[in-house]
Amino acid sequence: IMAARPITLGIDLGTTSVKAALLRAAPDEPSGFAVLASCARAARAEAAVESAGAGPQGREQDVSRILQALHECLAALPRQQLRSIVGIGVSGQMHGVVFWKTGQGCEWIEGGITPVFEPRAVSHLVTWQDGRCSSEFLASLPQPKSHLSVATGFGCATIFWLLKYCPESLKSYDAAGTIHDYVVAMLCGLPRPLMSDQNAASWGYFNTQSQSWNVEILRSSGFPVHLLPDIAEPGSVAGRTSHMWFEIPEGTEVGVALGDLQASVYSCMTQRTDAVLNISTSVQLAASMPSGFQPGETPDPTAPVAYFPYFGRTYLGVAASLNGGNVLATFVHMLVQWMADLGLEVEESTVYSCMIQAAVQQRDTHLTITPTVLGERHLPDQLASVTRISSSDLSLGHVTRALCRGIVQNLHSMLPIQQLQEWGVERVMGSGSALSRNEVLKQEVQRAFPLPVSFGQDVDAAVGAALVMLRRHLNQKES
Protein backbone atom coordinates (compact mmCIF):
# COMPACT_ATOMS: atom_id res chain seq x y z
CA ILE A 1 0.00 0.00 0.00
CA MET A 2 1.29 3.46 -0.89
CA ALA A 3 2.11 5.47 2.24
CA ALA A 4 -0.30 8.37 2.79
CA ARG A 5 1.16 11.42 1.10
CA PRO A 6 1.76 14.38 3.42
CA ILE A 7 -0.70 17.30 3.39
CA THR A 8 0.09 20.91 4.28
CA LEU A 9 -2.22 23.86 4.92
CA GLY A 10 -1.54 27.33 3.53
CA ILE A 11 -3.25 30.43 4.93
CA ASP A 12 -3.17 33.89 3.34
CA LEU A 13 -4.46 36.87 5.34
CA GLY A 14 -5.13 39.37 2.54
CA THR A 15 -6.42 42.93 2.56
CA THR A 16 -9.94 42.07 1.43
CA SER A 17 -10.12 38.31 1.91
CA VAL A 18 -8.70 35.38 3.84
CA LYS A 19 -7.77 32.27 1.86
CA ALA A 20 -6.79 28.73 2.75
CA ALA A 21 -5.51 25.85 0.61
CA LEU A 22 -4.66 22.20 1.26
CA LEU A 23 -1.76 20.73 -0.72
CA ARG A 24 -0.60 17.16 -1.18
CA ALA A 25 2.61 15.93 -2.76
CA ALA A 26 1.88 14.62 -6.28
CA PRO A 27 5.12 13.37 -7.88
CA ASP A 28 3.36 12.69 -11.21
CA GLU A 29 2.20 16.34 -11.57
CA PRO A 30 4.61 18.71 -13.38
CA SER A 31 4.45 21.05 -10.36
CA GLY A 32 5.01 18.20 -7.89
CA PHE A 33 1.89 19.02 -5.88
CA ALA A 34 -1.91 19.00 -6.12
CA VAL A 35 -4.36 21.43 -4.50
CA LEU A 36 -6.85 19.20 -2.66
CA ALA A 37 -9.20 21.94 -1.53
CA SER A 38 -9.23 25.71 -1.17
CA CYS A 39 -11.50 28.33 0.26
CA ALA A 40 -11.75 32.14 0.33
CA ARG A 41 -13.85 34.35 2.60
CA ALA A 42 -14.30 38.13 2.48
CA ALA A 43 -12.70 39.65 5.57
CA ARG A 44 -14.93 42.78 5.70
CA ALA A 45 -12.53 43.98 8.38
CA GLU A 46 -12.31 47.74 7.62
CA ALA A 47 -12.82 49.52 10.93
CA ALA A 48 -13.21 53.04 12.28
CA VAL A 49 -9.76 54.46 13.00
CA GLU A 50 -8.75 54.17 16.68
CA SER A 51 -5.93 56.72 16.69
CA ALA A 52 -7.07 60.32 17.01
CA GLY A 53 -5.50 62.59 14.41
CA ALA A 54 -4.99 59.95 11.72
CA GLY A 55 -7.73 61.70 9.73
CA PRO A 56 -9.60 60.34 6.72
CA GLN A 57 -6.32 58.90 5.39
CA GLY A 58 -6.18 56.37 8.24
CA ARG A 59 -6.82 52.72 7.30
CA GLU A 60 -7.36 50.17 10.04
CA GLN A 61 -8.82 46.67 10.25
CA ASP A 62 -10.48 44.79 13.09
CA VAL A 63 -8.41 41.71 13.99
CA SER A 64 -11.42 39.75 15.29
CA ARG A 65 -13.09 40.07 11.86
CA ILE A 66 -9.97 38.73 10.15
CA LEU A 67 -9.87 35.76 12.55
CA GLN A 68 -13.57 35.14 12.01
CA ALA A 69 -12.99 34.91 8.24
CA LEU A 70 -10.02 32.59 8.90
CA HIS A 71 -12.14 30.30 11.05
CA GLU A 72 -14.91 30.26 8.41
CA CYS A 73 -12.32 29.23 5.82
CA LEU A 74 -11.00 26.37 7.92
CA ALA A 75 -14.51 25.19 8.81
CA ALA A 76 -15.20 24.82 5.08
CA LEU A 77 -12.21 22.51 4.45
CA PRO A 78 -12.62 18.69 4.55
CA ARG A 79 -12.09 17.59 8.18
CA GLN A 80 -10.59 14.23 7.27
CA GLN A 81 -7.74 15.97 5.43
CA LEU A 82 -7.17 18.48 8.23
CA ARG A 83 -6.33 15.53 10.53
CA SER A 84 -3.42 14.54 8.24
CA ILE A 85 -1.74 17.97 8.12
CA VAL A 86 2.02 17.88 8.77
CA GLY A 87 2.68 21.63 8.48
CA ILE A 88 1.00 25.05 8.28
CA GLY A 89 2.33 27.90 6.13
CA VAL A 90 1.05 31.44 6.67
CA SER A 91 1.37 34.53 4.47
CA GLY A 92 -0.38 37.87 4.42
CA GLN A 93 -0.54 41.56 3.58
CA MET A 94 2.89 43.09 4.08
CA HIS A 95 3.87 46.43 5.66
CA GLY A 96 0.99 46.63 8.19
CA VAL A 97 1.37 46.57 11.98
CA VAL A 98 -0.71 45.18 14.84
CA PHE A 99 0.20 45.47 18.55
CA TRP A 100 -0.55 43.05 21.37
CA LYS A 101 0.32 42.27 24.99
CA THR A 102 2.60 39.27 25.43
CA GLY A 103 0.74 36.31 26.94
CA GLN A 104 -2.61 38.12 26.56
CA GLY A 105 -2.82 38.40 22.78
CA CYS A 106 -5.58 35.84 22.51
CA GLU A 107 -7.75 33.42 24.42
CA TRP A 108 -8.37 29.86 23.30
CA ILE A 109 -12.09 29.14 23.54
CA GLU A 110 -12.88 25.46 24.11
CA GLY A 111 -16.30 23.85 24.01
CA GLY A 112 -17.33 24.54 20.43
CA ILE A 113 -16.85 22.08 17.56
CA THR A 114 -13.17 22.97 17.79
CA PRO A 115 -10.98 25.12 20.02
CA VAL A 116 -10.54 28.57 18.40
CA PHE A 117 -8.53 31.60 19.49
CA GLU A 118 -10.06 35.06 19.86
CA PRO A 119 -8.11 38.32 20.15
CA ARG A 120 -7.86 39.89 23.61
CA ALA A 121 -5.27 42.61 24.35
CA VAL A 122 -4.78 43.49 20.66
CA SER A 123 -4.89 46.77 18.73
CA HIS A 124 -6.44 47.31 15.32
CA LEU A 125 -4.25 46.38 12.36
CA VAL A 126 -2.96 49.59 10.74
CA THR A 127 -2.71 48.41 7.13
CA TRP A 128 -0.36 49.12 4.23
CA GLN A 129 -3.08 51.35 2.75
CA ASP A 130 -2.85 53.75 5.71
CA GLY A 131 -2.02 57.29 4.57
CA ARG A 132 -1.55 59.13 7.88
CA CYS A 133 2.20 59.72 7.30
CA SER A 134 2.44 62.80 5.09
CA SER A 135 5.46 63.46 2.86
CA GLU A 136 6.57 66.13 5.38
CA PHE A 137 6.32 63.67 8.28
CA LEU A 138 8.30 61.02 6.38
CA ALA A 139 10.96 63.61 5.51
CA SER A 140 11.40 64.31 9.25
CA LEU A 141 12.31 60.66 10.00
CA PRO A 142 15.93 59.47 10.22
CA GLN A 143 17.50 58.05 7.02
CA PRO A 144 17.40 54.21 7.11
CA LYS A 145 20.51 52.09 6.60
CA SER A 146 18.76 49.88 4.06
CA HIS A 147 18.27 49.67 0.32
CA LEU A 148 14.50 50.07 0.85
CA SER A 149 12.94 53.44 1.57
CA VAL A 150 10.13 54.04 4.08
CA ALA A 151 6.62 54.96 2.93
CA THR A 152 3.32 55.66 4.66
CA GLY A 153 1.64 52.42 5.76
CA PHE A 154 5.02 50.79 6.55
CA GLY A 155 5.15 49.38 10.09
CA CYS A 156 8.09 51.47 11.34
CA ALA A 157 6.66 54.70 9.87
CA THR A 158 3.33 53.98 11.59
CA ILE A 159 5.09 53.36 14.93
CA PHE A 160 7.01 56.65 14.55
CA TRP A 161 3.68 58.42 13.87
CA LEU A 162 2.03 56.86 16.94
CA LEU A 163 5.08 57.75 19.04
CA LYS A 164 4.68 61.40 18.05
CA TYR A 165 0.88 61.81 18.01
CA CYS A 166 -0.55 58.99 20.21
CA PRO A 167 2.26 57.88 22.56
CA GLU A 168 -0.33 56.63 25.07
CA SER A 169 -1.62 54.00 22.61
CA LEU A 170 1.79 52.29 22.51
CA LYS A 171 2.02 51.94 26.30
CA SER A 172 -0.60 49.16 26.52
CA TYR A 173 1.41 46.79 24.29
CA ASP A 174 4.82 45.12 24.33
CA ALA A 175 4.76 43.11 21.08
CA ALA A 176 4.13 43.94 17.43
CA GLY A 177 4.14 42.29 14.01
CA THR A 178 2.24 41.99 10.77
CA ILE A 179 -1.20 40.35 11.03
CA HIS A 180 0.29 37.04 9.86
CA ASP A 181 3.11 37.25 12.42
CA TYR A 182 0.40 37.72 15.06
CA VAL A 183 -1.51 34.63 13.89
CA VAL A 184 1.66 32.49 13.93
CA ALA A 185 2.57 33.77 17.41
CA MET A 186 -0.93 32.95 18.72
CA LEU A 187 -1.11 29.50 17.09
CA CYS A 188 2.23 28.53 18.64
CA GLY A 189 1.95 30.50 21.89
CA LEU A 190 5.28 32.21 21.11
CA PRO A 191 6.65 34.34 23.98
CA ARG A 192 8.15 36.76 21.40
CA PRO A 193 6.97 37.28 17.84
CA LEU A 194 9.20 36.00 15.03
CA MET A 195 9.39 37.70 11.65
CA SER A 196 10.91 36.65 8.33
CA ASP A 197 13.18 39.14 6.55
CA GLN A 198 10.43 39.37 3.90
CA ASN A 199 8.07 41.05 6.37
CA ALA A 200 10.83 42.92 8.22
CA ALA A 201 11.98 44.53 4.95
CA SER A 202 8.37 45.61 4.33
CA TRP A 203 8.34 47.60 7.61
CA GLY A 204 11.42 49.69 6.72
CA TYR A 205 14.60 50.26 8.79
CA PHE A 206 15.73 46.69 8.15
CA ASN A 207 19.04 45.82 6.50
CA THR A 208 18.66 42.67 4.40
CA GLN A 209 22.43 42.12 3.99
CA SER A 210 23.12 42.06 7.74
CA GLN A 211 19.65 40.59 8.47
CA SER A 212 19.15 43.11 11.27
CA TRP A 213 17.02 46.11 12.25
CA ASN A 214 18.63 49.58 12.22
CA VAL A 215 18.56 49.48 16.03
CA GLU A 216 21.05 52.33 16.65
CA ILE A 217 19.39 54.71 14.19
CA LEU A 218 15.95 53.91 15.61
CA ARG A 219 17.00 54.06 19.26
CA SER A 220 18.62 57.48 18.85
CA SER A 221 15.25 58.79 17.58
CA GLY A 222 13.41 57.46 20.63
CA PHE A 223 11.81 54.56 18.72
CA PRO A 224 10.44 51.75 20.97
CA VAL A 225 12.91 49.12 19.69
CA HIS A 226 11.58 46.51 22.17
CA LEU A 227 8.56 46.20 19.83
CA LEU A 228 10.70 44.91 16.93
CA PRO A 229 10.30 41.15 16.39
CA ASP A 230 13.18 38.67 16.25
CA ILE A 231 14.22 37.67 12.72
CA ALA A 232 13.97 34.16 11.24
CA GLU A 233 14.78 32.71 7.83
CA PRO A 234 11.74 32.38 5.52
CA GLY A 235 10.96 28.67 5.15
CA SER A 236 12.02 27.95 8.74
CA VAL A 237 9.66 26.75 11.48
CA ALA A 238 8.40 29.35 13.99
CA GLY A 239 6.94 26.81 16.42
CA ARG A 240 4.27 24.16 16.87
CA THR A 241 0.54 24.54 17.42
CA SER A 242 -0.25 24.77 21.14
CA HIS A 243 -3.84 23.44 20.76
CA MET A 244 -5.80 21.17 18.48
CA TRP A 245 -7.31 23.50 15.88
CA PHE A 246 -10.05 22.38 13.44
CA GLU A 247 -8.91 18.73 13.62
CA ILE A 248 -5.30 19.82 13.00
CA PRO A 249 -3.29 17.95 15.66
CA GLU A 250 -1.66 19.86 18.50
CA GLY A 251 2.12 20.03 17.91
CA THR A 252 1.86 20.62 14.13
CA GLU A 253 4.76 22.66 12.72
CA VAL A 254 3.97 26.27 11.73
CA GLY A 255 6.32 28.14 9.40
CA VAL A 256 7.49 31.69 10.07
CA ALA A 257 5.05 34.05 8.29
CA LEU A 258 5.87 35.01 4.69
CA GLY A 259 5.08 38.07 2.58
CA ASP A 260 2.02 37.51 0.36
CA LEU A 261 3.94 38.67 -2.71
CA GLN A 262 6.79 36.20 -2.11
CA ALA A 263 4.30 33.38 -1.42
CA SER A 264 2.36 34.16 -4.63
CA VAL A 265 5.56 34.23 -6.65
CA TYR A 266 6.69 30.95 -5.04
CA SER A 267 3.50 29.20 -6.15
CA CYS A 268 3.67 30.48 -9.77
CA MET A 269 7.32 30.82 -10.70
CA THR A 270 8.32 27.43 -12.03
CA GLN A 271 11.41 28.72 -13.89
CA ARG A 272 13.84 31.50 -12.98
CA THR A 273 12.94 33.01 -16.36
CA ASP A 274 9.30 33.54 -15.29
CA ALA A 275 8.04 36.95 -14.20
CA VAL A 276 4.97 36.95 -11.96
CA LEU A 277 2.27 39.58 -12.39
CA ASN A 278 -0.04 39.63 -9.37
CA ILE A 279 -3.20 41.74 -9.53
CA SER A 280 -5.31 41.64 -6.40
CA THR A 281 -6.13 44.71 -4.25
CA SER A 282 -2.86 46.23 -5.47
CA VAL A 283 -0.50 45.09 -8.24
CA GLN A 284 3.02 43.68 -8.30
CA LEU A 285 5.23 42.61 -11.17
CA ALA A 286 8.15 40.56 -9.92
CA ALA A 287 11.13 38.87 -11.53
CA SER A 288 13.98 36.82 -10.10
CA MET A 289 17.27 38.67 -9.77
CA PRO A 290 20.40 36.71 -10.79
CA SER A 291 22.00 34.82 -7.88
CA GLY A 292 24.66 36.88 -6.16
CA PHE A 293 22.71 40.09 -6.85
CA GLN A 294 23.07 42.61 -4.00
CA PRO A 295 20.94 45.77 -3.88
CA GLY A 296 22.56 49.18 -3.33
CA GLU A 297 23.31 50.47 0.17
CA THR A 298 20.96 53.45 0.19
CA PRO A 299 17.29 53.80 -0.76
CA ASP A 300 16.06 55.68 -3.82
CA PRO A 301 12.48 56.70 -2.96
CA THR A 302 11.86 57.88 -6.55
CA ALA A 303 12.77 54.54 -8.17
CA PRO A 304 9.72 52.60 -9.37
CA VAL A 305 11.44 49.21 -8.89
CA ALA A 306 12.37 47.89 -5.44
CA TYR A 307 14.30 44.74 -4.50
CA PHE A 308 12.42 42.45 -2.09
CA PRO A 309 14.06 39.59 -0.17
CA TYR A 310 12.87 36.21 -1.51
CA PHE A 311 14.04 32.73 -0.39
CA GLY A 312 17.60 31.46 0.08
CA ARG A 313 19.01 35.01 0.32
CA THR A 314 17.94 35.87 -3.23
CA TYR A 315 15.98 38.94 -4.35
CA LEU A 316 12.99 39.77 -6.50
CA GLY A 317 12.97 42.92 -8.63
CA VAL A 318 9.48 44.29 -8.00
CA ALA A 319 7.34 47.07 -9.41
CA ALA A 320 4.67 47.44 -6.73
CA SER A 321 1.76 49.65 -7.73
CA LEU A 322 -0.81 50.80 -5.18
CA ASN A 323 -3.46 50.87 -7.92
CA GLY A 324 -5.05 47.54 -8.86
CA GLY A 325 -8.34 45.85 -8.04
CA ASN A 326 -8.94 48.65 -5.53
CA VAL A 327 -9.24 51.13 -8.45
CA LEU A 328 -11.89 48.98 -10.13
CA ALA A 329 -13.68 48.77 -6.77
CA THR A 330 -13.55 52.58 -6.46
CA PHE A 331 -15.05 52.92 -9.97
CA VAL A 332 -17.83 50.43 -9.16
CA HIS A 333 -18.53 52.26 -5.90
CA MET A 334 -18.73 55.56 -7.79
CA LEU A 335 -21.25 54.11 -10.25
CA VAL A 336 -23.38 52.64 -7.45
CA GLN A 337 -23.25 56.02 -5.67
CA TRP A 338 -24.33 57.86 -8.83
CA MET A 339 -27.22 55.42 -9.29
CA ALA A 340 -28.27 56.01 -5.68
CA ASP A 341 -28.14 59.78 -6.29
CA LEU A 342 -30.47 59.14 -9.25
CA GLY A 343 -32.81 57.19 -6.97
CA LEU A 344 -31.88 53.75 -8.31
CA GLU A 345 -30.59 50.86 -6.27
CA VAL A 346 -28.15 48.33 -7.72
CA GLU A 347 -25.78 45.74 -6.26
CA GLU A 348 -22.03 46.28 -6.68
CA SER A 349 -21.65 42.68 -7.93
CA THR A 350 -24.19 43.36 -10.71
CA VAL A 351 -22.37 46.52 -11.80
CA TYR A 352 -19.06 44.65 -11.80
CA SER A 353 -20.21 41.78 -14.03
CA CYS A 354 -22.08 44.17 -16.41
CA MET A 355 -19.08 46.44 -16.87
CA ILE A 356 -16.67 43.54 -17.52
CA GLN A 357 -19.17 42.13 -20.03
CA ALA A 358 -19.45 45.52 -21.76
CA ALA A 359 -15.65 45.90 -21.95
CA VAL A 360 -15.17 42.36 -23.33
CA GLN A 361 -17.38 43.45 -26.24
CA GLN A 362 -15.45 46.73 -26.61
CA ARG A 363 -12.05 45.47 -27.79
CA ASP A 364 -10.39 48.88 -28.19
CA THR A 365 -10.74 52.55 -27.19
CA HIS A 366 -8.99 55.90 -27.66
CA LEU A 367 -9.96 56.93 -24.15
CA THR A 368 -6.89 57.08 -21.89
CA ILE A 369 -7.13 56.66 -18.11
CA THR A 370 -4.21 57.12 -15.75
CA PRO A 371 -5.65 55.12 -12.83
CA THR A 372 -3.43 56.35 -10.00
CA VAL A 373 -6.22 57.50 -7.62
CA LEU A 374 -4.04 56.32 -4.73
CA GLY A 375 -0.77 57.83 -5.97
CA GLU A 376 2.31 55.61 -5.99
CA ARG A 377 5.01 55.08 -3.37
CA HIS A 378 7.56 56.67 -5.72
CA LEU A 379 5.06 59.46 -6.65
CA PRO A 380 2.96 59.92 -3.48
CA ASP A 381 1.18 63.07 -4.67
CA GLN A 382 0.08 61.80 -8.09
CA LEU A 383 -3.66 61.58 -8.79
CA ALA A 384 -5.68 59.95 -11.58
CA SER A 385 -6.73 61.54 -14.86
CA VAL A 386 -8.87 60.79 -17.91
CA THR A 387 -7.74 62.19 -21.28
CA ARG A 388 -8.63 61.92 -24.99
CA ILE A 389 -12.35 62.01 -24.22
CA SER A 390 -14.49 62.04 -27.35
CA SER A 391 -18.27 61.68 -27.57
CA SER A 392 -17.91 58.28 -29.25
CA ASP A 393 -15.86 56.78 -26.40
CA LEU A 394 -18.22 57.32 -23.49
CA SER A 395 -19.97 53.95 -23.20
CA LEU A 396 -19.47 51.82 -20.10
CA GLY A 397 -17.48 49.38 -22.28
CA HIS A 398 -15.07 52.12 -23.43
CA VAL A 399 -14.50 53.45 -19.92
CA THR A 400 -14.01 49.99 -18.35
CA ARG A 401 -11.67 48.92 -21.16
CA ALA A 402 -9.64 52.14 -20.70
CA LEU A 403 -9.53 51.65 -16.92
CA CYS A 404 -8.25 48.05 -17.17
CA ARG A 405 -5.72 49.10 -19.80
CA GLY A 406 -4.62 51.98 -17.59
CA ILE A 407 -3.96 49.68 -14.62
CA VAL A 408 -1.74 47.42 -16.74
CA GLN A 409 -0.05 50.33 -18.59
CA ASN A 410 0.75 52.07 -15.30
CA LEU A 411 2.58 48.96 -14.12
CA HIS A 412 4.30 48.59 -17.49
CA SER A 413 5.59 52.15 -17.19
CA MET A 414 7.16 51.23 -13.82
CA LEU A 415 8.83 48.05 -15.12
CA PRO A 416 8.88 47.98 -18.95
CA ILE A 417 9.11 44.79 -21.01
CA GLN A 418 12.64 45.81 -22.17
CA GLN A 419 13.87 45.70 -18.56
CA LEU A 420 12.26 42.28 -18.02
CA GLN A 421 13.93 40.93 -21.14
CA GLU A 422 17.30 42.27 -19.95
CA TRP A 423 16.78 40.26 -16.77
CA GLY A 424 16.19 37.17 -18.95
CA VAL A 425 12.41 36.91 -18.49
CA GLU A 426 10.79 34.64 -21.09
CA ARG A 427 7.26 34.21 -19.76
CA VAL A 428 4.72 36.09 -17.61
CA MET A 429 2.66 34.17 -15.03
CA GLY A 430 -0.52 36.01 -14.04
CA SER A 431 -1.95 35.56 -10.55
CA GLY A 432 -4.24 37.21 -8.01
CA SER A 433 -7.96 37.56 -7.39
CA ALA A 434 -8.59 40.67 -9.52
CA LEU A 435 -6.86 39.09 -12.53
CA SER A 436 -8.34 35.59 -12.29
CA ARG A 437 -11.90 37.00 -12.35
CA ASN A 438 -11.45 39.66 -15.01
CA GLU A 439 -11.25 38.69 -18.69
CA VAL A 440 -10.54 42.30 -19.74
CA LEU A 441 -7.49 42.62 -17.49
CA LYS A 442 -6.21 39.31 -18.90
CA GLN A 443 -6.54 40.64 -22.46
CA GLU A 444 -4.74 43.85 -21.50
CA VAL A 445 -1.89 41.92 -19.88
CA GLN A 446 -1.43 39.93 -23.08
CA ARG A 447 -1.51 43.16 -25.09
CA ALA A 448 1.07 44.94 -22.91
CA PHE A 449 3.52 42.06 -22.54
CA PRO A 450 4.40 40.46 -25.90
CA LEU A 451 5.62 37.27 -24.20
CA PRO A 452 3.85 33.97 -23.51
CA VAL A 453 1.39 34.66 -20.64
CA SER A 454 -0.40 32.10 -18.47
CA PHE A 455 -2.83 32.63 -15.60
CA GLY A 456 -3.08 30.98 -12.17
CA GLN A 457 -5.81 30.86 -9.52
CA ASP A 458 -6.74 33.48 -6.96
CA VAL A 459 -5.46 31.49 -3.96
CA ASP A 460 -1.83 31.63 -5.09
CA ALA A 461 -0.36 33.09 -1.88
CA ALA A 462 -2.05 30.42 0.27
CA VAL A 463 -0.79 27.74 -2.13
CA GLY A 464 2.72 29.21 -1.99
CA ALA A 465 2.73 29.23 1.84
CA ALA A 466 1.57 25.58 1.89
CA LEU A 467 4.15 24.63 -0.76
CA VAL A 468 7.04 26.05 1.28
CA MET A 469 6.01 23.80 4.19
CA LEU A 470 5.39 20.78 1.92
CA ARG A 471 8.86 20.98 0.33
CA ARG A 472 10.40 21.46 3.77
CA HIS A 473 8.65 18.31 5.01
CA LEU A 474 9.69 16.25 1.96
CA ASN A 475 13.33 17.43 2.22
CA GLN A 476 13.44 16.45 5.89
CA LYS A 477 12.06 13.00 5.11
CA GLU A 478 14.69 12.47 2.40
CA SER A 479 17.56 13.58 4.62
mmCIF file of all heavy atoms in Angstrom, residues 125 165 203 256 402:
data_model
loop_
_atom_site.group_PDB
_atom_site.id
_atom_site.type_symbol
_atom_site.label_atom_id
_atom_site.label_comp_id
_atom_site.label_asym_id
_atom_site.label_seq_id
_atom_site.Cartn_x
_atom_site.Cartn_y
_atom_site.Cartn_z
ATOM 1 N N LEU A 125 -5.336 46.469 13.323
ATOM 2 C CA LEU A 125 -4.248 46.376 12.360
ATOM 3 C C LEU A 125 -4.231 47.684 11.566
ATOM 4 O O LEU A 125 -5.239 48.052 10.959
ATOM 5 C CB LEU A 125 -4.503 45.191 11.410
ATOM 6 C CG LEU A 125 -3.669 45.144 10.129
ATOM 7 C CD1 LEU A 125 -2.193 44.906 10.455
ATOM 8 C CD2 LEU A 125 -4.172 44.047 9.195
ATOM 9 N N TYR A 165 2.237 61.255 17.869
ATOM 10 C CA TYR A 165 0.883 61.809 18.013
ATOM 11 C C TYR A 165 -0.011 61.060 19.003
ATOM 12 O O TYR A 165 -0.985 61.622 19.485
ATOM 13 C CB TYR A 165 0.191 61.884 16.641
ATOM 14 C CG TYR A 165 0.876 62.819 15.678
ATOM 15 C CD1 TYR A 165 1.614 62.330 14.599
ATOM 16 C CD2 TYR A 165 0.813 64.202 15.857
ATOM 17 C CE1 TYR A 165 2.256 63.191 13.712
ATOM 18 C CE2 TYR A 165 1.448 65.068 14.972
ATOM 19 C CZ TYR A 165 2.171 64.562 13.906
ATOM 20 O OH TYR A 165 2.805 65.419 13.045
ATOM 21 N N TRP A 203 8.592 46.595 6.562
ATOM 22 C CA TRP A 203 8.345 47.600 7.608
ATOM 23 C C TRP A 203 9.257 48.813 7.465
ATOM 24 O O TRP A 203 8.969 49.876 7.994
ATOM 25 C CB TRP A 203 8.587 46.974 8.988
ATOM 26 C CG TRP A 203 7.362 46.415 9.626
ATOM 27 C CD1 TRP A 203 6.211 46.035 9.005
ATOM 28 C CD2 TRP A 203 7.164 46.168 11.035
ATOM 29 N NE1 TRP A 203 5.315 45.559 9.935
ATOM 30 C CE2 TRP A 203 5.873 45.633 11.180
ATOM 31 C CE3 TRP A 203 7.960 46.338 12.157
ATOM 32 C CZ2 TRP A 203 5.347 45.275 12.426
ATOM 33 C CZ3 TRP A 203 7.444 45.977 13.395
ATOM 34 C CH2 TRP A 203 6.138 45.455 13.528
ATOM 35 N N VAL A 256 7.446 30.245 9.814
ATOM 36 C CA VAL A 256 7.488 31.688 10.069
ATOM 37 C C VAL A 256 6.696 32.368 8.941
ATOM 38 O O VAL A 256 6.710 31.909 7.799
ATOM 39 C CB VAL A 256 8.954 32.188 10.162
ATOM 40 C CG1 VAL A 256 9.685 32.060 8.842
ATOM 41 C CG2 VAL A 256 9.004 33.621 10.649
ATOM 42 N N ALA A 402 -10.716 51.166 -20.918
ATOM 43 C CA ALA A 402 -9.636 52.136 -20.700
ATOM 44 C C ALA A 402 -9.079 52.036 -19.279
ATOM 45 O O ALA A 402 -7.877 52.182 -19.058
ATOM 46 C CB ALA A 402 -10.145 53.552 -20.968
#
